[in-house]
Structure formats: C-alpha cells, structure tokens
Amino acid sequence: MGVPQTMVALAYRAEFMKEALEKSQTITDNMVSILGSFDHRLSALETAMRPTQIRTHSIRRAHENIDKTLKSAEGILTQFDQTRKAEAKILRGPHEDLESYLEAIEQLKATVKFFSSNKNFKSSDGVVHHANQLLAKAIVKLEEEFNTLLANYSKPVEPDRLFECLPNSLRPSSASDKHQGEGGNKHSPEQQKSLATAIYTLPTLIPPRVVPLLHDLALQMAQAGHQQQLFRIFRDTRATVLEQSLKKLGVERLTKDDVQRMQWEVLEAKIGNWIHYMRIAVKLLFSAEKKICDQILEGIESLRDPCFAEVTVNSVSVLLSFGEAIAKSKRSPEKLFVLLDMYEIMRELRSEFELVFGSKACMEMRESAFNLTIRLAQTAQETFVDFEEAVERDATKTAVLDGTVHPLTSYVINYVKFLFDYQSTVKQLFQELESTDPEGQLAAVTTRIMQALQTNLDGKSKQYRDPALTQLFLMNNIHYIVRSVRRSEAKDLLGDDWVQIHRRIVQQHANQYKRISWAKVLLGNLHRSSTV
C-alpha cells in the first residue's frame, strides 16, 4: 500500500521536471533566435556606419594637419619678425646698446639654425644666406668695437699708482727717490721675512665694468672664427701699454756695451733701480696682466696663454737682458754685493715666475729667468775667486810708516763683514750650484780670503828696513783681523781654533818686536858707552 503511493509521487515529480525542462528549452531557443537577430542587425549597422567613420577620421587628420601647418607658419612668421628686429639692431651698430647687439647676433644664429633644419620651406636657403651676411657684418663691427673699447680703456699705469700697490716697507719715502727703489738696499733677516709675507695689491689695468663686455665681444669673435684678429688686437694693444708702463717707471733697454761704458756709481744706482723694477714688474704688472688676460679670454683656451706670452715677451726680455749684461760684464770685487742683491731678487721672484709664466707658451721666459738666476750665482762665485787673487796679488806700494793697520787690511775686513750680512744668500747661492755643504763652502771662502790677506801682509812687511817695524806691522794688522773676526759673525764660521791660532801669531810678533826693540836699546847704550 505504501509503495504504490511513493511511486505515484515520484511519477508526478518526474512529469513536473519534464515540463519544466521543455519550457526552459523553449526559452533558450527563443533567446538564441533573438540574439541571432541582434547580431545580424549590428553587422548591418556597422556596415552602414563605416563610411561615416572614414569621413570622420579624414576630417580629424585634416584638422591635425591644419593645426601643424598653422603652428609651422606661426613659427616661421615669428622667426621672420625676430630676424627683422635683429637686422635693425645690427645695422645700427653696437655703440648704442652692446648687450642688445649681442642678443641680435644670437637671434641671427638661431634663425640660421632654424631654417637650416627646415629645408622643406621654399625660401629657407635665401633666408639662411641673408642671415649669414648679416652675421658677417655684425662680427666685423664687433671686432671694431672690441678694438675701440680695449684701446680706450688700456692706459699705462703711472708710477705713483704702482708705488701705492707696494707694501709700506718698499714704497719710496719721498718724491726725490721715486725712481730709486729700495730693492738694492740690503734687508735684515727680519725684513726679508716680512717681505716674503708682504701683501701686494694688483693695479687695476682696465675698469671692472668694461671687462665683461670685452669678454663677451672676444667670445663672439672667437666663435665666429676670428681668433687671429682677436689675438692680434689684444696682443698689440696690451703689449704696447705694458711697455709704456715700464718706461714710465724708468725701465730702459741696456746692452752689455752700455753697461761696460758706465761709471761704477751710475751703474750701481741702475742696478738698485733694476731690482726694484723687477719686483714691481713681476709681482704687480705681469701678475695683473695675467689676470686681465684670463678674464677677457676666459673660455678661449687656444688663445689665452699664447696671447699673454706675446703681450709680455718684450717687457720680460728688456728686464732680463739688463741682468744678463751685468752677469756677463767684466768682474770686479765691488760688483759682488750687487750681484748678490740681483741673485736675491731673482730667488725671491722664482715662485711668481713659476705661477705667472707657468704655461707651456711662457716656457722660454720662465727658463730665461731661471738661467739668469744661475748665471748670477756663477758670476758671484767666480768673483769670490777673483777677490782672493786680487787680495793676494795687491801690489800697492803705500807704506804705513808707523807700522799701523794697512788700508788693504781694513778694506778686506770690511768686505768680509759685509759678506756675512749676506751669508743666508751666499749659502743659497752655493746650494744652487749643487754644493752639499754650503756653510762649509762659505767658511772655506772666508778662510782663503783671510789667508790671501795674510800672505800679502807678509810681503808688505818686507818693505820695512827696520826689523822692529816689520814685526810691529804684522802684529798690528793680524791683531786687527782677529779683533774684527771676534766681533763679527765670522767667528762662528771660522771657529775658536782659528781665533786662538792667530792670537798666538799676534803674540809671537809682539815678542819679536820686544826683543828687537830691547836689542836696539842695548846696542844704543853700548854705542854711547864706547863713544864716551
């Protein structure tokens, strides 16, 4: 009974599910039919819209092309307008407004670049040609302006202005010695140290407000390929002015023959002035010239160093040639100390020469300065030898009747004392000439001079017929030598042994003098007794 009811229920449910599935299939078939209809309609719509889409794309591209054309036309018109304005400025010249003139040149360069890269423009070649012609005219006018500006603002530096740039210790004390520098005077070690750290103020060669303008003009000329014209103008103008500045200071070109013909007093004064001029030229004029050259020719590396070298070469030659003339002139003892002064200033200026003339273009001048330094050292060293020989061979017949100090002795001693005022310079000099023991070499030179003096005094002592006067003469002169050495710096160099030995020599001569004198007294008494 229960089973049939269950079967009936299952059969009922199966029938219901069948009907549901049949309805679902019908709905699916209807949806497929409807979707198929949509696909057909969309295809038809797309086919109908395709011509419209093509026309719309064409219109859009046409608009884009029109915009591009308008922009190109606008750019070309702008270039034409700016070129027209630039041309007007170029034709007016740079005198009215140099900055605006330089801007006009830059605009013409931009125009050439613009039309050179737009070859599709029908008239581009003509525009480029016209702009290049204007640029050529502009550069010629710039060259004239550079020449005019540089010449107008390049003036010789007056000596008074140069003296104001020196440290106080080197400035002339009055108008009377403006042309006689203090460089030839010997400075103490303390003064030398203060000079080494002294502050020098470079003179203003060209007003600072003009320098940037000259730099801009120089840069434009160089970029336009006018390097040689720029080089020539700068060299000729600045070299002439530098030479005039030195001439106003008192510098003159003197040859070896000129030096040989001069009286010693005149030559000594000129050497003192030369030392002062060298310091002013290197530390002030050449350094300032280097600075102005670097500023105006900044960025033009191919011209900067060669231009400075050409500007200064003649002036350096004039100064160094005088030093060479002195170094090669006939040697004499009185020249030793001026040679040492000259050597000293060249040593002092060596670092400045290395700095100011440090480029390859200035190598010849740098080497000339170094060679002069060595030549002065060699001549001074040779003068030491000459002095030794002159002392030993001195044949003056001037006799000191009372056996006191001979003029030669006082001259030599004063010479040696003065030499020791220069002992640091002399030691540097010996070291320059590759001496391993400069102090020992100075001691050897001093000893040889003293020995030469003693040899000569021995010869002069034989001029006395009276043996007592001979001993008295030697005693007085050697005593004077020993006393002078003990009171000078030579004592530290010659040593206590040298002093003690010569004191004993003095004593020996004194004893000999006493014995001879007593003998003379005894002989005189005997003579009187025999007469009585």
Side-chain angles (χ1 to χ4, degrees), residues 494-506:
L494 295 174
D496 288 332
D497 289 344
W498 185 95
V499 173
Q500 293 303 324
I501 289 170
H502 285 77
R503 287 180 71 180
R504 286 197 291 271
I505 292 173
V506 171

Side-chain angles (χ1 to χ4, degrees), residues 1-271:
M1 188 75 182
V3 174
Q5 288 180 348
T6 302
M7 291 296 292
V8 171
L10 288 171
Y12 177 75
R13 289 180 181 175
E15 186 65 25
F16 178 76
M17 289 178 69
K18 182 180 178 182
E19 290 177 358
L21 287 171
E22 288 176 352
K23 288 181 180 179
S24 176
Q25 183 62 45
T26 301
I27 293 169
T28 301
D29 292 341
N30 290 338
M31 288 297 294
V32 169
S33 176
I34 291 169
L35 290 172
S37 174
F38 273 123
D39 184 56
H40 175 72
R41 291 176 183 176
L42 286 172
S43 297
L45 181 61
E46 183 179 358
T47 301
M49 288 293 292
R50 187 170 293 115
T52 303
Q53 290 174 340
I54 292 172
R55 285 195 298 274
T56 301
H57 182 67
S58 298
I59 292 169
R60 186 180 298 112
R61 291 194 61 181
H63 275 293
E64 290 174 355
N65 289 335
I66 290 170
D67 288 340
K68 288 180 181 179
T69 303
L70 289 173
K71 287 180 180 178
S72 296
E74 184 180 357
I76 291 171
L77 290 172
T78 300
Q79 287 295 328
F80 273 120
D81 183 55
Q82 292 177 344
T83 302
R84 179 181 57 80
K85 293 177 180 178
E87 181 176 5
K89 293 177 182 178
I90 295 300
L91 294 177
R92 281 198 300 270
H95 303 292
E96 295 181 5
D97 187 352
L98 180 58
E99 186 176 351
S100 179
Y101 190 85
L102 294 175
E103 290 174 358
I105 290 176
E106 292 299 326
Q107 178 54 50
L108 287 176
K109 290 179 180 178
T111 297
V112 170
K113 183 178 180 181
F114 177 83
F115 284 105
S116 296
S117 61
N118 286 276
K119 294 294 185 181
N120 293 330
F121 180 62
K122 186 177 181 180
S123 303
S124 61
D125 290 341
V127 174
V128 169
H129 178 70
H130 181 64
N132 279 328
Q133 284 185 322
L134 283 173
L135 277 173
K137 291 179 181 178
I139 297 302
V140 170
K141 290 186 177 182
L142 276 186
E143 184 178 318
E144 294 171 355
E145 182 69 7
F146 182 81
N147 193 2
T148 301
L149 270 179
L150 189 64
N152 287 344
Y153 289 100
S154 292
K155 302 298 180 186
V157 186
E158 296 296 329
D160 285 344
R161 282 183 54 207
L162 290 172
F163 297 148
E164 290 171 0
C165 297
L166 292 170
N168 290 332
S169 59
L170 290 175
R171 293 180 186 178
S173 56
S174 65
S176 61
D177 59 3
K178 281 184 179 179
H179 294 288
Q180 186 171 358
E182 296 175 18
N185 297 334
K186 183 63 192 165
H187 298 287
S188 68
E190 293 76 15
Q191 289 173 318
Q192 288 289 345
K193 186 176 180 181
S194 66
L195 282 178
T197 58
I199 297 175
Y200 294 77
T201 306
L202 293 185
T204 301
L205 303 183
I206 295 176
R209 61 183 177 82
V210 181
V211 173
L213 298 178
L214 288 169
H215 171 254
D216 291 340
L217 289 169
L219 208 56
Q220 291 289 344
M221 289 173 65
Q223 290 172 357
H226 286 226
Q227 289 95 336
Q228 288 307 310
Q229 294 91 324
L230 172 61
F231 181 91
R232 175 183 53 78
I233 293 170
F234 192 94
R235 177 200 61 197
D236 293 349
T237 303
R238 291 306 311 165
T240 301
V241 170
L242 177 59
E243 290 166 20
Q244 289 172 349
S245 296
L246 288 173
K247 188 174 181 180
K248 281 177 172 285
L249 187 63
V251 175
E252 54 186 330
R253 185 182 286 276
L254 295 173
T255 65
K256 181 182 175 183
D257 291 337
D258 295 330
V259 168
Q260 289 292 103
R261 286 193 294 267
M262 283 183 189
Q263 294 293 325
W264 168 241
E265 293 76 11
V266 176
L267 183 59
E268 187 177 24
K270 286 189 178 294
I271 292 172

